[in-house]
Amino acid sequence: MAATLGLVLITASTAALPAVAEDGTAHGTFYYVDLVGGNQEVRDPAIGDCHLVSTVGTSVYNATDTTVTLYTDTSCAVLANPVPPGSSITFLFKSYRFL
């Protein structure tokens, strides 16, 4: 009985984990504010690609199912700041990538 209960708990906790997008997109909308364009939104952004903002982004709200990482350079390499799904942050950034 204890082995079966352990198996059920493992199955339940595994089922609660978010699924990795098989189609290469983060499902949902990524909102950010930049200094020139104001409020911006990106629907179902691609996972793995480095995306640039027009000038400097100042804040984000991640309404997708995937963590986005903000970078202070234009090549998604310097000073990373991860923003999990459902979170917001104020941070100066020039590029972002969903991982």
Side-chain angles (χ1 to χ4, degrees):
M1 178 97 172
T4 303
L5 180 59
L7 180 60
V8 170
L9 290 175
I10 290 171
T11 303
S13 65
T14 302
L17 295 175
V20 175
E22 293 181 18
D23 61 359
T25 61
H27 298 111
T29 305
F30 174 62
Y31 300 93
Y32 69 92
V33 177
D34 70 38
L35 293 178
V36 172
N39 296 329
Q40 307 292 327
E41 65 179 65
V42 181
R43 294 177 190 259
D44 300 327
I47 294 175
D49 294 342
C50 182
H51 303 273
L52 303 178
V53 297
S54 60
T55 56
V56 175
T58 59
S59 62
V60 305
Y61 173 63
N62 183 7
T64 72
D65 59 357
T66 306
T67 295
V68 63
T69 303
L70 310 177
Y71 300 89
T72 57
D73 69 331
T74 57
S75 60
C76 292
V78 178
L79 192 58
N81 196 347
V83 183
S87 298
S88 61
I89 190 171
T90 298
F91 180 76
L92 297 178
F93 66 101
K94 293 183 180 178
S95 61
Y96 61 92
R97 182 189 323 249
F98 284 85
L99 302 171

XYZ file of all heavy atoms in Angstrom:
722
model
N 0.836 -1.197 0.000
C 0.000 0.000 0.000
C 0.875 1.252 0.000
O 0.603 2.181 -0.718
C -0.912 -0.028 1.231
C -1.769 1.175 1.353
S -3.374 0.802 0.663
C -4.264 2.231 1.113
N 1.943 1.270 0.795
C 2.809 2.449 0.861
C 3.478 2.710 -0.479
O 3.630 3.847 -0.885
C 3.857 2.265 1.956
N 3.875 1.657 -1.197
C 4.514 1.843 -2.502
C 3.529 2.443 -3.501
O 3.881 3.304 -4.287
C 5.061 0.519 -3.022
N 2.287 2.009 -3.441
C 1.280 2.546 -4.344
C 1.009 4.009 -4.035
O 0.933 4.847 -4.925
C -0.040 1.739 -4.223
O 0.249 0.377 -4.492
C -1.078 2.267 -5.194
N 0.915 4.359 -2.767
C 0.685 5.739 -2.367
C 1.836 6.619 -2.839
O 1.627 7.697 -3.366
C 0.526 5.827 -0.847
C 0.275 7.232 -0.285
C -0.997 7.816 -0.888
C 0.171 7.181 1.220
N 3.082 6.135 -2.687
C 4.239 6.888 -3.165
C 4.163 7.120 -4.660
O 4.462 8.198 -5.148
N 3.738 6.127 -5.401
C 3.608 6.255 -6.851
C 2.542 7.275 -7.211
O 2.736 8.102 -8.086
C 3.278 4.888 -7.473
C 3.124 4.869 -8.987
C 4.424 5.322 -9.646
C 2.756 3.482 -9.455
N 1.447 7.279 -6.492
C 0.383 8.243 -6.745
C 0.881 9.654 -6.471
O 0.646 10.561 -7.245
C -0.864 7.918 -5.888
C -1.866 9.048 -5.965
C -1.480 6.618 -6.342
N 1.628 9.860 -5.387
C 2.142 11.187 -5.067
C 3.116 11.671 -6.130
O 3.080 12.821 -6.531
C 2.819 11.175 -3.693
C 1.879 11.012 -2.502
C 2.674 10.894 -1.219
C 0.896 12.157 -2.426
N 3.975 10.796 -6.602
C 4.921 11.177 -7.650
C 4.164 11.549 -8.919
O 4.448 12.553 -9.540
C 5.930 10.038 -7.923
C 6.859 9.901 -6.726
C 6.721 10.288 -9.185
C 7.744 8.681 -6.770
N 3.174 10.769 -9.276
C 2.393 11.051 -10.470
C 1.663 12.376 -10.329
O 1.661 13.184 -11.241
C 1.377 9.913 -10.730
O 2.097 8.693 -10.843
C 0.589 10.164 -11.990
N 1.083 12.634 -9.170
C 0.354 13.885 -8.961
C 1.297 15.080 -9.026
O 0.974 16.091 -9.636
C -0.362 13.852 -7.609
N 2.472 14.987 -8.424
C 3.383 16.131 -8.457
C 3.949 16.334 -9.857
O 4.181 17.455 -10.276
C 4.511 15.954 -7.436
O 5.319 14.850 -7.791
N 4.161 15.270 -10.608
C 4.635 15.398 -11.983
C 3.568 16.031 -12.859
O 3.860 16.871 -13.694
C 5.028 14.010 -12.546
O 6.022 13.451 -11.707
C 5.555 14.124 -13.959
N 2.320 15.683 -12.640
C 1.234 16.243 -13.441
C 1.069 17.731 -13.181
O 0.617 18.475 -14.038
C -0.069 15.517 -13.128
N 1.466 18.223 -12.008
C 1.308 19.630 -11.668
C 2.382 20.510 -12.311
O 2.245 21.719 -12.351
C 1.348 19.796 -10.154
N 3.454 19.922 -12.812
C 4.509 20.714 -13.427
C 4.041 21.279 -14.764
O 3.327 20.620 -15.508
C 5.755 19.840 -13.666
C 6.452 19.312 -12.422
C 7.572 18.368 -12.819
C 6.990 20.442 -11.574
N 4.432 22.535 -15.087
C 4.029 23.092 -16.381
C 4.697 22.349 -17.524
O 5.849 21.954 -17.436
C 4.521 24.539 -16.316
C 5.561 24.552 -15.255
C 5.231 23.444 -14.310
N 3.971 22.162 -18.583
C 4.507 21.459 -19.743
C 5.417 22.382 -20.545
O 5.168 23.577 -20.645
C 3.355 20.978 -20.623
N 6.467 21.832 -21.089
C 7.344 22.600 -21.964
C 6.648 22.728 -23.315
O 6.109 21.766 -23.835
C 8.704 21.887 -22.112
C 9.578 22.621 -23.120
C 9.400 21.782 -20.778
N 6.656 23.927 -23.859
C 5.979 24.154 -25.138
C 6.654 23.352 -26.234
O 7.829 23.523 -26.505
C 5.995 25.629 -25.476
N 5.900 22.463 -26.842
C 6.452 21.624 -27.906
C 6.513 22.359 -29.230
O 7.236 21.960 -30.126
C 5.616 20.351 -28.038
C 5.738 19.454 -26.819
C 4.925 18.192 -26.957
O 4.540 17.834 -28.090
O 4.666 17.560 -25.935
N 5.770 23.444 -29.362
C 5.755 24.173 -30.628
C 6.760 25.324 -30.665
O 6.788 26.091 -31.614
C 4.349 24.679 -30.938
C 3.822 25.630 -29.882
O 4.525 25.891 -28.885
O 2.696 26.119 -30.045
N 7.593 25.461 -29.625
C 8.636 26.483 -29.618
C 8.157 27.875 -29.275
O 8.858 28.846 -29.533
N 6.967 27.991 -28.674
C 6.482 29.301 -28.265
C 6.091 29.305 -26.802
O 5.714 28.274 -26.245
C 5.249 29.749 -29.092
O 4.194 28.817 -28.879
C 5.559 29.846 -30.562
N 6.204 30.466 -26.200
C 5.697 30.675 -24.846
C 4.243 31.109 -25.012
O 3.974 32.114 -25.668
C 6.504 31.754 -24.148
N 3.316 30.363 -24.484
C 1.898 30.672 -24.682
C 1.446 31.757 -23.718
O 1.687 31.679 -22.526
C 1.063 29.407 -24.508
C 1.431 28.368 -25.515
N 2.059 27.209 -25.167
C 1.307 28.350 -26.865
C 2.290 26.495 -26.270
N 1.851 27.172 -27.301
N 0.816 32.774 -24.273
C 0.340 33.893 -23.484
C 0.889 35.197 -24.044
O 1.357 35.254 -25.186
N 0.839 36.232 -23.233
C 1.275 37.561 -23.675
C 2.347 38.104 -22.741
O 2.229 38.000 -21.521
C 0.079 38.537 -23.724
O -0.940 37.955 -24.549
C 0.481 39.876 -24.305
N 3.371 38.675 -23.338
C 4.464 39.325 -22.627
C 4.275 40.831 -22.798
O 4.221 41.327 -23.921
C 5.805 38.873 -23.205
C 7.001 39.586 -22.659
C 7.317 39.514 -21.319
C 7.823 40.320 -23.493
C 8.432 40.156 -20.814
C 8.946 40.969 -23.008
C 9.247 40.890 -21.655
N 4.115 41.536 -21.680
C 3.904 42.985 -21.708
C 5.165 43.686 -21.220
O 5.773 43.256 -20.243
C 2.754 43.371 -20.775
C 1.437 42.738 -21.124
C 1.055 41.536 -20.540
C 0.573 43.344 -22.027
C -0.164 40.946 -20.851
C -0.646 42.767 -22.344
C -1.012 41.566 -21.752
O -2.217 40.982 -22.067
N 5.547 44.764 -21.902
C 6.656 45.573 -21.401
C 6.468 47.031 -21.780
O 5.689 47.371 -22.672
C 8.003 45.043 -21.875
C 8.310 45.184 -23.351
C 8.992 46.296 -23.841
C 7.945 44.187 -24.246
C 9.300 46.409 -25.192
C 8.249 44.295 -25.590
C 8.926 45.410 -26.059
O 9.227 45.524 -27.392
N 7.171 47.898 -21.061
C 7.151 49.328 -21.321
C 8.549 49.715 -21.766
O 9.539 49.317 -21.142
C 6.758 50.121 -20.054
C 6.822 51.625 -20.308
C 5.374 49.702 -19.575
N 8.629 50.470 -22.874
C 9.936 50.989 -23.282
C 9.883 52.508 -23.342
O 8.813 53.109 -23.338
C 10.449 50.361 -24.575
C 9.682 50.767 -25.813
O 9.266 51.933 -25.919
O 9.512 49.919 -26.698
N 11.046 53.137 -23.360
C 11.132 54.593 -23.267
C 10.575 55.321 -24.480
O 10.108 56.441 -24.368
C 12.587 55.019 -23.043
C 13.180 54.617 -21.699
C 14.640 55.042 -21.605
C 12.389 55.217 -20.547
N 10.596 54.716 -25.664
C 10.132 55.394 -26.874
C 8.709 54.989 -27.239
O 7.849 55.824 -27.466
C 11.082 55.119 -28.065
C 10.503 55.658 -29.354
C 12.432 55.743 -27.799
N 8.446 53.686 -27.288
C 7.160 53.202 -27.774
C 6.076 53.073 -26.737
O 4.932 52.811 -27.061
N 6.422 53.238 -25.469
C 5.417 53.094 -24.420
C 5.071 51.643 -24.173
O 5.940 50.771 -24.170
N 3.781 51.360 -23.980
C 3.321 50.004 -23.678
C 3.413 49.111 -24.905
O 2.925 49.467 -25.978
C 1.882 50.032 -23.174
C 1.748 50.769 -21.871
O 2.658 50.775 -21.052
N 0.615 51.413 -21.660
N 4.020 47.948 -24.732
C 4.181 46.977 -25.813
C 3.640 45.629 -25.349
O 3.637 45.342 -24.148
C 5.660 46.809 -26.181
C 6.375 48.097 -26.495
C 5.888 48.748 -27.765
O 5.502 48.071 -28.718
N 5.873 50.066 -27.795
N 3.204 44.811 -26.282
C 2.814 43.440 -25.951
C 3.214 42.504 -27.082
O 3.154 42.861 -28.250
C 1.331 43.321 -25.633
C 0.384 43.602 -26.758
C -1.062 43.436 -26.318
O -1.521 44.214 -25.462
O -1.718 42.523 -26.852
N 3.662 41.327 -26.673
C 4.086 40.293 -27.620
C 3.288 39.038 -27.289
O 3.377 38.526 -26.174
C 5.604 40.021 -27.509
C 6.030 38.972 -28.512
C 6.396 41.305 -27.681
N 2.530 38.544 -28.253
C 1.717 37.340 -28.036
C 2.479 36.101 -28.510
O 3.059 36.108 -29.587
C 0.394 37.453 -28.776
C -0.490 38.538 -28.229
C -1.770 38.663 -29.041
N -2.481 39.854 -28.629
C -3.518 39.834 -27.806
N -3.969 38.686 -27.356
N -4.111 40.953 -27.459
N 2.450 35.086 -27.688
C 3.084 33.798 -27.983
C 4.507 33.966 -28.540
O 4.805 33.533 -29.651
C 2.226 32.993 -28.965
C 0.833 32.710 -28.418
O 0.698 32.552 -27.192
O -0.111 32.644 -29.215
N 5.404 34.583 -27.752
C 6.769 34.804 -28.243
C 7.532 33.496 -28.432
O 7.268 32.499 -27.750
C 7.411 35.658 -27.149
C 6.595 35.399 -25.932
C 5.208 35.076 -26.393
N 8.483 33.518 -29.365
C 9.312 32.338 -29.640
C 10.255 32.066 -28.474
O 10.814 32.986 -27.886
C 10.115 32.556 -30.914
N 10.427 30.787 -28.165
C 11.357 30.369 -27.121
C 12.753 30.225 -27.722
O 12.913 29.656 -28.797
C 10.907 29.038 -26.486
C 9.590 29.249 -25.733
C 11.974 28.472 -25.557
C 8.989 27.988 -25.177
N 13.755 30.762 -27.019
C 15.135 30.592 -27.427
C 15.711 31.731 -28.238
O 16.917 31.913 -28.283
N 14.859 32.530 -28.898
C 15.340 33.651 -29.707
C 15.641 34.855 -28.823
O 14.954 35.093 -27.831
C 14.293 34.071 -30.743
C 14.033 33.005 -31.785
O 14.872 32.099 -31.933
O 12.983 33.081 -32.451
N 16.642 35.647 -29.202
C 16.957 36.899 -28.531
C 16.127 37.996 -29.191
O 16.216 38.216 -30.397
C 18.450 37.211 -28.645
S 18.927 38.719 -27.775
N 15.288 38.659 -28.403
C 14.416 39.729 -28.903
C 14.938 41.068 -28.401
O 15.286 41.196 -27.228
C 12.982 39.535 -28.398
C 12.388 38.223 -28.752
N 11.743 38.001 -29.945
C 12.341 37.047 -28.072
C 11.304 36.751 -29.979
N 11.667 36.149 -28.859
N 14.961 42.065 -29.270
C 15.414 43.402 -28.901
C 14.227 44.317 -28.657
O 13.189 44.168 -29.290
C 16.275 44.001 -30.016
C 17.500 43.201 -30.441
C 18.214 43.911 -31.589
C 18.446 43.001 -29.279
N 14.384 45.276 -27.745
C 13.382 46.325 -27.574
C 13.861 47.546 -28.352
O 15.039 47.653 -28.699
C 13.136 46.654 -26.088
C 12.582 45.446 -25.358
C 14.381 47.135 -25.409
N 12.954 48.472 -28.667
C 13.315 49.594 -29.535
C 14.399 50.487 -28.939
O 15.272 50.963 -29.654
C 12.076 50.419 -29.879
O 11.490 50.926 -28.697
N 14.342 50.748 -27.656
C 15.391 51.551 -27.000
C 15.800 50.857 -25.714
O 16.656 50.001 -25.724
C 14.913 52.985 -26.700
O 13.728 52.913 -25.917
C 14.678 53.781 -27.951
N 15.146 51.220 -24.619
C 15.395 50.584 -23.328
C 14.055 50.240 -22.698
O 13.179 51.098 -22.589
C 16.183 51.526 -22.380
C 16.329 50.924 -21.001
C 17.552 51.850 -22.964
N 13.898 48.986 -22.311
C 12.705 48.576 -21.591
C 12.839 48.957 -20.133
O 13.951 48.972 -19.587
N 11.713 49.287 -19.502
C 11.769 49.723 -18.109
C 11.027 48.798 -17.143
O 11.372 48.744 -15.977
C 11.192 51.141 -17.968
O 9.846 51.144 -18.433
C 12.022 52.141 -18.758
N 10.023 48.091 -17.620
C 9.284 47.176 -16.750
C 8.581 46.122 -17.601
O 8.336 46.341 -18.787
C 8.271 47.931 -15.892
O 7.321 48.562 -16.701
N 8.276 44.981 -16.977
C 7.596 43.895 -17.688
C 6.543 43.243 -16.807
O 6.612 43.310 -15.579
C 8.579 42.795 -18.164
C 9.683 43.377 -19.000
C 9.142 41.999 -17.016
N 5.587 42.610 -17.457
C 4.673 41.676 -16.822
C 4.654 40.439 -17.708
O 4.325 40.516 -18.893
C 3.261 42.247 -16.664
C 2.291 41.197 -16.156
C 2.462 40.625 -14.898
C 1.250 40.753 -16.943
C 1.607 39.647 -14.436
C 0.383 39.765 -16.490
C 0.574 39.224 -15.239
O -0.268 38.239 -14.783
N 5.002 39.293 -17.152
C 5.083 38.049 -17.909
C 3.803 37.241 -17.712
O 3.647 36.534 -16.726
C 6.302 37.236 -17.459
C 6.469 35.975 -18.267
O 5.774 35.740 -19.242
N 7.411 35.147 -17.858
N 2.878 37.366 -18.661
C 1.615 36.627 -18.621
C 1.681 35.412 -19.544
O 0.672 35.004 -20.119
C 0.464 37.545 -19.001
N 2.880 34.839 -19.695
C 3.037 33.615 -20.483
C 3.213 32.438 -19.539
O 3.250 32.601 -18.324
C 4.264 33.691 -21.423
O 5.456 33.591 -20.648
C 4.268 34.972 -22.235
N 3.400 31.257 -20.113
C 3.627 30.049 -19.318
C 5.117 29.694 -19.216
O 5.458 28.599 -18.801
C 2.842 28.875 -19.912
C 3.225 28.562 -21.354
O 4.056 29.284 -21.942
O 2.677 27.593 -21.903
N 5.994 30.636 -19.601
C 7.433 30.372 -19.670
C 8.209 31.522 -19.043
O 7.818 32.687 -19.180
C 7.861 30.230 -21.148
O 7.034 29.232 -21.765
C 9.310 29.822 -21.284
N 9.307 31.216 -18.368
C 10.157 32.252 -17.788
C 10.847 33.051 -18.885
O 11.355 32.481 -19.847
C 11.221 31.625 -16.862
O 10.550 31.008 -15.754
C 12.202 32.669 -16.339
N 10.856 34.370 -18.733
C 11.579 35.253 -19.643
C 12.782 35.806 -18.889
O 12.703 36.062 -17.690
C 10.686 36.403 -20.173
C 10.201 37.314 -19.052
C 11.415 37.210 -21.229
N 13.901 35.955 -19.583
C 15.096 36.521 -18.981
C 15.397 37.847 -19.660
O 15.424 37.927 -20.887
C 16.291 35.561 -19.114
O 15.926 34.309 -18.502
C 17.517 36.106 -18.410
N 15.606 38.886 -18.845
C 15.895 40.230 -19.343
C 17.396 40.470 -19.307
O 18.075 40.041 -18.371
C 15.197 41.274 -18.480
C 13.710 41.059 -18.220
C 13.182 42.143 -17.283
C 12.931 41.030 -19.514
N 17.908 41.185 -20.313
C 19.350 41.447 -20.420
C 19.600 42.938 -20.621
O 18.810 43.627 -21.263
C 19.946 40.679 -21.603
C 19.777 39.188 -21.494
C 18.645 38.559 -22.006
C 20.741 38.405 -20.880
C 18.489 37.181 -21.905
C 20.598 37.027 -20.776
C 19.467 36.429 -21.295
O 19.302 35.072 -21.188
N 20.736 43.413 -20.140
C 21.080 44.827 -20.267
C 21.813 45.146 -21.567
O 22.110 46.299 -21.836
C 21.940 45.288 -19.080
O 23.116 44.477 -19.012
C 21.166 45.182 -17.776
N 22.124 44.138 -22.382
C 22.780 44.358 -23.672
C 21.842 43.946 -24.810
O 20.733 43.496 -24.566
C 24.101 43.583 -23.749
C 23.872 42.086 -23.818
O 22.850 41.593 -23.287
O 24.702 41.387 -24.417
N 22.295 44.093 -26.047
C 21.452 43.767 -27.208
C 21.708 42.366 -27.767
O 21.176 42.018 -28.811
C 21.669 44.801 -28.330
O 23.042 44.830 -28.676
C 21.198 46.183 -27.909
N 22.502 41.556 -27.063
C 22.779 40.204 -27.558
C 22.377 39.110 -26.563
O 22.812 37.974 -26.683
C 24.260 40.069 -27.909
O 25.039 40.309 -26.752
N 21.564 39.459 -25.583
C 21.082 38.488 -24.584
C 22.234 37.767 -23.893
O 22.230 36.544 -23.769
C 20.125 37.494 -25.226
S 18.558 38.213 -25.755
N 23.229 38.537 -23.454
C 24.391 37.917 -22.831
C 24.789 38.533 -21.491
O 25.423 37.873 -20.685
C 25.579 37.979 -23.791
N 24.441 39.799 -21.241
C 24.968 40.509 -20.069
C 23.870 40.804 -19.048
O 22.798 41.284 -19.403
C 25.639 41.832 -20.503
C 26.158 42.600 -19.298
C 26.763 41.561 -21.488
N 24.174 40.543 -17.783
C 23.326 40.846 -16.632
C 21.893 40.359 -16.806
O 20.977 41.123 -17.086
C 23.339 42.340 -16.304
C 22.735 42.739 -14.959
C 23.451 42.024 -13.810
C 22.787 44.226 -14.750
N 21.719 39.086 -16.667
C 20.409 38.456 -16.841
C 19.553 38.601 -15.589
O 20.056 38.531 -14.476
C 20.600 36.982 -17.171
N 18.254 38.794 -15.803
C 17.297 38.884 -14.710
C 16.060 38.071 -15.099
O 15.270 38.512 -15.927
C 16.936 40.352 -14.456
C 16.262 40.545 -13.128
O 15.844 39.592 -12.486
N 16.147 41.788 -12.711
N 15.880 36.866 -14.532
C 14.732 36.030 -14.910
C 13.419 36.535 -14.308
O 13.395 37.031 -13.181
C 15.098 34.661 -14.351
C 16.040 34.945 -13.235
C 16.758 36.215 -13.582
N 12.344 36.407 -15.089
C 11.010 36.792 -14.636
C 10.079 35.602 -14.886
O 9.735 35.301 -16.030
C 10.494 38.041 -15.391
C 9.132 38.464 -14.858
C 11.495 39.189 -15.293
N 9.686 34.896 -13.825
C 8.831 33.715 -13.982
C 7.423 34.073 -14.476
O 7.003 35.229 -14.388
C 8.757 33.131 -12.567
C 9.727 33.879 -11.745
C 10.059 35.145 -12.452
N 6.684 33.080 -14.966
C 5.306 33.314 -15.394
C 4.475 33.946 -14.273
O 4.628 33.591 -13.101
C 4.785 31.910 -15.711
C 6.013 31.129 -16.045
C 7.086 31.693 -15.154
N 3.646 34.916 -14.637
C 2.778 35.578 -13.670
C 3.457 36.645 -12.836
O 2.839 37.199 -11.930
N 4.707 36.968 -13.136
C 5.458 37.947 -12.348
C 5.687 39.235 -13.119
O 5.638 39.266 -14.343
C 6.820 37.371 -11.956
O 6.665 36.237 -11.159
N 5.984 40.294 -12.363
C 6.333 41.575 -12.975
C 7.584 42.109 -12.287
O 7.903 41.718 -11.164
C 5.180 42.570 -12.856
O 4.882 42.811 -11.501
N 8.273 43.016 -12.984
C 9.501 43.585 -12.442
C 9.773 44.921 -13.126
O 9.386 45.129 -14.278
C 10.691 42.623 -12.629
C 11.915 43.100 -11.863
C 11.013 42.436 -14.094
C 13.050 42.086 -11.829
N 10.413 45.816 -12.406
C 10.932 47.049 -12.979
C 12.436 46.864 -13.090
O 13.101 46.579 -12.086
C 10.595 48.259 -12.088
O 9.176 48.369 -12.009
C 11.180 49.541 -12.654
N 12.958 46.979 -14.302
C 14.360 46.673 -14.573
C 14.705 47.265 -15.933
O 13.939 47.116 -16.880
C 14.543 45.147 -14.591
C 15.936 44.660 -14.850
C 16.898 44.708 -13.862
C 16.274 44.128 -16.086
C 18.185 44.237 -14.100
C 17.554 43.659 -16.331
C 18.514 43.716 -15.324
N 15.828 47.954 -16.056
C 16.241 48.504 -17.348
C 16.875 47.402 -18.187
O 17.838 46.771 -17.754
C 17.221 49.658 -17.152
C 16.669 50.872 -16.422
C 17.756 51.934 -16.257
C 15.468 51.455 -17.142
N 16.334 47.168 -19.388
C 16.830 46.084 -20.237
C 16.772 46.476 -21.707
O 16.006 47.355 -22.103
C 16.047 44.789 -19.987
C 14.598 44.853 -20.385
C 14.169 44.293 -21.576
C 13.662 45.471 -19.575
C 12.836 44.340 -21.949
C 12.321 45.523 -19.944
C 11.911 44.965 -21.136
N 17.605 45.825 -22.513
C 17.655 46.091 -23.954
C 17.247 44.882 -24.791
O 17.005 45.001 -25.979
C 19.059 46.533 -24.364
C 19.449 47.879 -23.785
C 20.811 48.297 -24.268
C 21.204 49.652 -23.696
N 22.546 50.049 -24.115
N 17.234 43.697 -24.180
C 16.831 42.495 -24.903
C 16.227 41.499 -23.916
O 16.372 41.635 -22.700
C 18.024 41.874 -25.645
O 19.044 41.503 -24.747
N 15.549 40.489 -24.466
C 14.941 39.445 -23.628
C 14.894 38.145 -24.396
O 14.928 38.117 -25.617
C 13.546 39.861 -23.154
C 12.540 40.097 -24.251
C 11.715 39.067 -24.687
C 12.410 41.343 -24.850
C 10.796 39.266 -25.705
C 11.476 41.564 -25.856
C 10.671 40.525 -26.276
O 9.762 40.731 -27.277
N 14.820 37.056 -23.634
C 14.744 35.718 -24.223
C 13.886 34.827 -23.334
O 14.027 34.837 -22.114
C 16.148 35.124 -24.339
C 16.183 33.743 -24.984
C 17.541 33.055 -24.905
N 18.673 33.930 -25.046
C 19.491 33.941 -26.095
N 19.305 33.135 -27.096
N 20.509 34.762 -26.118
N 12.987 34.068 -23.961
C 12.213 33.063 -23.243
C 12.980 31.763 -23.273
O 13.463 31.342 -24.319
C 10.825 32.899 -23.890
C 9.897 34.024 -23.557
C 9.912 35.194 -24.288
C 9.045 33.919 -22.491
C 9.092 36.249 -23.978
C 8.201 34.964 -22.149
C 8.223 36.134 -22.905
N 13.100 31.131 -22.119
C 13.885 29.898 -22.005
C 13.024 28.733 -21.598
O 12.055 28.856 -20.952
C 15.005 30.084 -20.982
C 15.961 31.233 -21.281
C 16.884 31.463 -20.113
C 16.747 30.943 -22.534
